[in-house]
Amino acid sequence: MKPIEGRRRVIIEEIQPSIDCGRYPAHRILGDPIAVTAAIFADGHGRVAARLLYRHDTEKHWRVIPLTPLSNDLWRGEFLTDKLGTYHFAIQAWVDHFATWHDDLKKRLAAQPDPHQPSEAISTPQDIPLALHIGAQLIDHIGELIEGPDRLPISEAAANLRTLAAQGSGFYSDPITAELCELIARHPDLELSTRTETDFTIWVDRPRARFSTWYELFPRSCSPTPDAHGTLADVEAMLPQIASMGFDVLYLPPIHPIGLAFRKGPNNNVIAQPGDEGSPWAIGAPDGGHKAVHAKLGTLADVDRLAAAARKQHIDLALDIAFQCSPDHPWVAEHPAWFTKRPDGSIQYAENPPKKYQDIYPLNFDSTDWRGLWDELLSVFLFWVDHGVHCFRVDNPHTKALPFWEWCITEIHKKHPDVLFLSEAFTRPHVMYSLAKAGFSQSYTYFTWRNHKAELQEYMKEITTPPVSDFFRPNLWPNTPDILHEFLQTGGRPAFIQRYILAATLSSSCGIYGPAYELCEHLPFKPSSEEYLHSEKYEIRQWDRSDPNSIAPLITRVNQIRRENPALQVNDTLHFHPVDNPALICYSKVSPHQDNLILTCVNLDPHHEHAGWVNLDLGALGIPSNTSFELEDLLIGDRYTWRNRTNYIALRPQQMPAHIFRITR
Amino acid sequence: MKPIEGRRRVIIEEIQPSIDCGRYPAHRILGDPIAVTAAIFADGHGRVAARLLYRHDTEKHWRVIPLTPLSNDLWRGEFLTDKLGTYHFAIQAWVDHFATWHDDLKKRLAAQPDPHQPSEAISTPQDIPLALHIGAQLIDHIGELIEGPDRLPISEAAANLRTLAAQGSGFYSDPITAELCELIARHPDLELSTRTETDFTIWVDRPRARFSTWYELFPRSCSPTPDAHGTLADVEAMLPQIASMGFDVLYLPPIHPIGLAFRKGPNNNVIAQPGDEGSPWAIGAPDGGHKAVHAKLGTLADVDRLAAAARKQHIDLALDIAFQCSPDHPWVAEHPAWFTKRPDGSIQYAENPPKKYQDIYPLNFDSTDWRGLWDELLSVFLFWVDHGVHCFRVDNPHTKALPFWEWCITEIHKKHPDVLFLSEAFTRPHVMYSLAKAGFSQSYTYFTWRNHKAELQEYMKEITTPPVSDFFRPNLWPNTPDILHEFLQTGGRPAFIQRYILAATLSSSCGIYGPAYELCEHLPFKPSSEEYLHSEKYEIRQWDRSDPNSIAPLITRVNQIRRENPALQVNDTLHFHPVDNPALICYSKVSPHQDNLILTCVNLDPHHEHAGWVNLDLGALGIPSNTSFELEDLLIGDRYTWRNRTNYIALRPQQMPAHIFRITR
């Protein structure tokens, strides 16, 4: 069957950015220029023209900018965003008959015999008068499509060509002015243009979605009074200190009432003693569930105050949303359909045979009342948004239906496009990426288990380059309340410094679970376990923040370097440079405006000094070869002058296991 | 807005093969197993099941085969084709609750204390009876969905589980038989399954689309009588010779009446003398156009005879379809709307200022009567198909609208799926690839201009691996009537041998323009021109096929090697092996059944002997290291025994510039 219009001769392919053929939006940051590229071409030798149509979701009309050709039929355009939310874009392209004709005319003109030196050359006339008439016809046709003031100059241009043609002979120069070309370009004949069949979308986040520094703490451990249960007010009192360390997201584990049934004791003991506080992730008790505040922590009003106080310090308060219930959660009685009932009438608790987690009831996303469940879960987020929380860390999102997340996040973003979501999914790559496509702003990563140079390089390349980087934003955590890696258990204080510097310079977003981190807490529950001994998940801890061995000053300095150097606030320019020692890793980042260049070298061995030769990729650094350049080590202030690609470094873990160089070219 | 069914939890991504998100079919060959892969996964820990649906375009019902998991959420399935034409496929996947439950049960069973060695271990019961009841429920539910004989054993299985559960204690072994699993797998509950939204398509060609050896000749030069105008009957007489040389496609330049207006003389002289035969590409004269036969060549009946005789020799007769007209073509008078009229009323001839081709009128695909034009052009193909021609070489398809080709080839293939199209588009990659996507079975390539190792390797890799190889099939030509490369002009007889061996072993399809090629015709029209002196495009040539310097015997041998070695009939296993001499290139191909292994080494320098060390990638060859293997040089019969990866070769161009080894492992 023939197409409706067989004269649409232009093909548009390879549109970028596009995630899964446009099924999902690409993720970008407010203010970033958004580059769109595509392969655009037609049969034959006609000149092709193309333009980019884009609009914010709230706008009716498309904004239009021209696309410009690169090499090999690739075209590019760039637009700026001025609003958070969804942008749509499409591409339209056509054969530009006027430009084609003008190219042809210029060839004819060039082929004229030079009037100043008479010659026999080219006896055949170049049909220039005829060509001028053809041009006049084209211009007339364009004029017919134009309303308004541009019409007159167009028709005059056609007339001029005919007058010129009337000469019939002699030497001709190009009668087409740049003004006329520009005028005509403003009125393309789109009748036979090709337009991308589906529109593509871009999701635009606030800058913190890309550049953020997270600090996690347990409020109940924040009381200045020994053995007292900390409160949200205690957390509020700590805000200045957290801000001064350079963190801009404060993340709290669940703050809701904790279940009593099957409550866990210290060190995950299945039998709790009276007075044991239980796990904040066993959510729900007679006094409330996901929309309630644990009485010992405070009240909703305390949340409002804490969120407001944090905002004053330019800190986002992030709550932990863990969609699971203790047996005492009000939902269990009110919505039995949301849980899995066993043949004996009991409710199915979390299990991984032979392990049992009787204090946790998972929600059943196969419930016949999935609509009711989805609505309630959405309302949980909206409830906390209304209390000033615009950032969420979502617990195990990969055990909830992926279509739910796409719907839920979209619904929240409709009214609140500034809300950020961190996905705590430590699972297979496709599932983690799928959550990012569904709308999560950031994700935890495998960084926590990547300690060797080769695996760090391979993994960081994968997650900082397209296609992954078009939708997935890494947030690197050296530790979490669930993960005390063996490297930290055995590496001593240098290991904590190394891992934080790696996280903070490899990725524009990173975070730590403190004060366990800065105090180098390293004792595991048992050998070969990644669980902390006396994990705060099950008991209140007292932390001595004044410990002289705390690496808080180092972390503060690193965070300050991150804030002062835009190169460290992006990931797409991450570039690794070879070092001839496997214990030494070296990589650079450049700021979007190319005006800030950071080169980081880290000794990955916490126990021994290592030295080696860095072989810099000067091209990636924008440094001409055979020139010297200045490096300032932002960690300790030393200055160096390097020349050419090969340079020597030596790092002592006990002293300072890394350089963070700012290079001035 | 919520989805209609929020419990469709499985995601299906990265479906392969798919060209431009399924916009175009992937190209495959009849009989080849067609492998389909996709990333398939869901949230949570449930077991996923997936199946492939496929059907030939003429079939109403889907055929179904299970997909099997590879690693990392990738799944794979394979189906066989038994018909030419279009196949559709889709993927359906779901969470398999029964398999999930069975996995869970097996964990519980494994956690039972060993009854033979009484121990205190695991005091907590594993809730096995309860698990059995849950299984019984699941099986009941499956039974409810089943009609017919399978229903009874299913319900029995449920009953058995309940009986077993009634024991209430003791040691349990797995009650689920393989038969039951297999039975249940036959009746999946698809209510909540996910299905790919759009179907994907595969175009299945006959084998010659991939493996073909083309011979082009000018019929008018085929007369045994000197100075006589050759005929189709003369060509018919040559068929046995062409077949004996091992060619299976005989391609003739246009056989239509040649225009008189502005007819070109020898060597493209703009003034033809009386008796000059003109260019076969200046199609159309008072006695007919694209559906007529040049009177001096013969009649339609001769075409029928030639096509039939060729078929007897297992040769495809291929006609050249060049959609352009001489000023004398009947279309010019009958369909003026198909041409571009200039303001002076004349018709626009082909031009590239200052060059003029007044003997050629291009067709105007922007014509208001494009529908009429498309219909007529389609009818040209169908006309020749009815005369037994099922293979076409299309001249400059890239100067005709791409949407036209997609429509035209689709229409032809509806009735005649065996028809093959070779695209003669020497233009930019995107346009060449776009023609292949539109339906061309094969394409000319840049091979003609690739003479150095690096560029040959890079280019061949690009066109023999996905995504390109999924839709684009290369046909390698060392020469054409339009292209006598400088390498052949200056390289002497060895150059012709080298280039043919490269074409014939790098690609499963290749071709030559003869007898110019086997007779090593190397004189250009003028220095730095790729045009032949006394080009057959403009005059009749006499060829002395008995010339002792002819490389016909070598070509015959190479073609025989191609026929006898399935490895040379495919491209997807092409693998290059490093040689420490840039003048030596080495590559291997393995047959689909892995039972035929060819290693080719070519000296790319026509003037000097070159020697070097080949560093074989034994893995790619399926040869274990530290074993020796036999090589037989199929060109000259020598036998070698090689051991391990590094081996020495030396090639004298004057003697034999290549090895074509068959390796026996």
Side-chain angles (χ1 to χ4, degrees), chain B residues 217-412:
Chain B
L217 58 70
F218 283 76
R220 65 186 180 187
S221 298
C222 290
S223 169
T225 345
D227 305 326
H229 191 291
T231 66
L232 297 176
D234 297 329
V235 175
E236 190 178 335
M238 290 179 53
L239 280 172
Q241 184 184 356
I242 294 162
S244 70
M245 284 173 74
F247 292 98
D248 53 24
V249 181
L250 170 62
Y251 145 45
L252 310 181
I255 59 171
H256 315 300
I258 296 171
L260 295 159
F262 300 98
R263 172 176 286 193
K264 297 292 177 68
N267 289 312
N268 202 16
N269 190 323
V270 289
I271 300 122
Q273 303 305 325
D276 286 347
E277 296 294 344
S279 161
W281 284 274
I283 295 170
D287 52 330
H290 286 77
K291 296 176 184 173
V293 178
H294 191 305
K296 290 185 176 178
L297 288 175
T299 65
L300 280 174
D302 295 324
V303 176
D304 299 337
R305 252 196 312 279
L306 180 57
R311 208 170 302 113
K312 281 206 192 65
Q313 306 266 8
H314 307 292
I315 290 176
D316 260 279
L317 175 65
L319 290 191
D320 188 330
I321 300 297
F323 283 136
Q324 58 192 26
C325 301
S326 92
D328 310 315
H329 195 293
W331 287 345
V332 177
E334 293 164 16
H335 302 284
W338 295 352
F339 303 89
T340 307
K341 187 175 264 164
R342 305 198 294 184
D344 65 354
S346 64
I347 289 175
Q348 178 65 60
Y349 46 79
E351 252 189 314
N352 182 14
K355 291 211 192 111
K356 303 178 170 202
Y357 309 92
Q358 284 156 302
D359 57 331
I360 301 292
Y361 286 173
L363 291 161
N364 175 18
F365 281 79
D366 289 335
S367 166
T368 50
D369 185 32
W370 62 271
R371 290 184 186 78
L373 175 62
W374 285 24
D375 288 330
E376 176 65 12
L377 299 184
L378 169 62
S379 76
V380 168
F381 283 104
L382 294 174
F383 178 86
W384 293 112
V385 169
D386 291 343
H387 284 279
V389 180
H390 287 237
C391 189
F392 297 94
R393 179 268 196 188
V394 178
D395 187 77
N396 286 328
H398 59 291
T399 59
K400 286 86 190 172
L402 290 158
F404 162 72
W405 289 121
E406 186 173 19
W407 169 82
C408 179
I409 294 173
T410 304
E411 289 298 312
I412 295 163

Side-chain angles (χ1 to χ4, degrees), chain B residues 118-262:
Chain B
S119 78
E120 318 304 287
I122 311 181
S123 55
T124 55
Q126 290 309 319
D127 306 337
I128 291 170
L130 197 51
L132 294 172
H133 278 294
I134 294 172
Q137 279 182 344
L138 277 169
I139 295 173
D140 281 341
H141 175 68
I142 292 162
E144 287 158 16
L145 304 171
I146 298 179
E147 303 297 322
D150 283 354
R151 186 163 188 160
L152 182 62
I154 294 259
S155 55
E156 283 170 359
N160 294 343
L161 291 190
R162 293 199 170 88
T163 318
L164 205 53
Q167 295 177 17
S169 72
F171 184 86
Y172 290 89
S173 53
D174 188 356
I176 306 303
T177 63
E179 293 67 29
L180 180 61
C181 292
E182 191 271 327
L183 179 64
I184 285 174
R186 279 210 308 275
H187 302 283
D189 176 3
L190 301 173
E191 190 200 346
L192 301 181
S193 67
T194 302
R195 188 190 183 286
T196 42
E197 278 167 26
T198 55
D199 296 347
F200 296 82
T201 54
I202 308 261
W203 173 261
V204 174
D205 275 310
R206 57 179 164 132
R208 191 158 287 172
R210 176 172 60 198
F211 174 49
S212 59
T213 315
W214 290 53
Y215 191 80
E216 172 180 10
L217 58 70
F218 283 76
R220 65 186 180 187
S221 298
C222 290
S223 169
T225 345
D227 305 326
H229 191 291
T231 66
L232 297 176
D234 297 329
V235 175
E236 190 178 335
M238 290 179 53
L239 280 172
Q241 184 184 356
I242 294 162
S244 70
M245 284 173 74
F247 292 98
D248 53 24
V249 181
L250 170 62
Y251 145 45
L252 310 181
I255 59 171
H256 315 300
I258 296 171
L260 295 159
F262 300 98

